[in-house]
Amino acid sequence: MTGIDFLASFLRTGRLHGIGIGSTLGEVDRAIRHRCVDVVDEEGESLRRDYGFVEFYFNPGDEWVMSGGSIELHRLASGPDLAREWARTTGVEFPRHVAWADVREELGRVPGAPELTVGDQGGFLEYRAAASNVSVIVVDDEEEEEERGYHAGHGDVWSVSLWAPVRAK
């Protein structure tokens, strides 16, 4: 599977390899067989699992439960080995630079694609899919267009994040 296909599916469903908000640490271990580093805060109230350019966040309880995550695509520009290792363990092949135009085009072909709202983040644009609780941060800096190489450039996806929905009171 290509990284573009993967991201379009993630934007639609809020699921990565079948896991998402509310998945337990054990479910994540079964779905993602990739080396990682676990970082637990001093109070033991949160866990960040870092897979290189993918991170998941967990809250404690009877089990650690996923509360969010992010795919830091900008890291691939300077670390193509991260993409090769991820492809080897997950079967998802990411390019060195992920153009938002390519992801939008693929998303347009996905049945049930979510509606996106856009906001300005000062040098970045944020596209939010409220239906799936996924947001995409895109470089929006004309000066970055010529810097593409070891950096994400204008129009490239910087990161994709999954967040827990806010419950009404």
Side-chain angles (χ1 to χ4, degrees), residues 31-35 84-92:
I32 309 288
R33 299 198 181 272
H34 190 85
R35 61 187 172 88
R84 282 191 296 275
E85 179 66 14
W86 189 258
R88 188 183 67 71
T89 62
T90 67
V92 178

Side-chain angles (χ1 to χ4, degrees), residues 2-4 7 73 76-77 80 83 93-99 102 148:
T2 72
I4 304 299
L7 292 173
L73 292 161
L76 298 179
E93 295 184 30
F94 282 97
R96 184 173 178 193
H97 300 96
V98 177
D102 294 342
R148 197 176 198 207

Side-chain angles (χ1 to χ4, degrees), residues 9 62 67 71 73 85 87 93 122 127:
S9 173
D62 293 337
S67 60
I71 305 170
L73 292 161
E85 179 66 14
E93 295 184 30
Y127 294 86

Side-chain angles (χ1 to χ4, degrees), residues 21-37:
I21 300 299
S23 293
T24 65
L25 193 56
E27 291 168 331
V28 171
D29 286 341
R30 287 186 291 280
I32 309 288
R33 299 198 181 272
H34 190 85
R35 61 187 172 88
C36 63
V37 173

Side-chain angles (χ1 to χ4, degrees), residues 46-118:
S46 68
L47 165 67
R48 178 176 56 90
R49 176 164 278 185
D50 189 341
Y51 292 91
F53 78 101
V54 175
E55 295 181 352
F56 296 125
Y57 313 105
F58 297 85
N59 291 331
D62 293 337
E63 295 183 70
W64 288 104
V65 177
M66 187 187 298
S67 60
S70 64
I71 305 170
E72 303 295 331
L73 292 161
H74 64 277
R75 293 183 183 171
L76 298 179
S78 61
D81 54 324
L82 292 172
R84 282 191 296 275
E85 179 66 14
W86 189 258
R88 188 183 67 71
T89 62
T90 67
V92 178
E93 295 184 30
F94 282 97
R96 184 173 178 193
H97 300 96
V98 177
W100 174 235
D102 294 342
V103 176
R104 292 267 328 231
E105 183 179 321
E106 183 59 31
L107 189 59
R109 290 192 278 269
V110 173
E115 184 176 321
L116 300 173
T117 59
V118 64

Side-chain angles (χ1 to χ4, degrees), residues 131-157:
S132 59
N133 299 313
V134 176
S135 65
V136 180
I137 302 295
V138 178
V139 178
D140 184 39
D141 186 348
E142 297 290 338
E143 292 179 19
E144 290 294 326
E145 199 155 354
E146 295 181 23
E147 293 295 320
R148 197 176 198 207
Y150 288 105
H151 306 283
H154 179 73
D156 286 337
V157 176

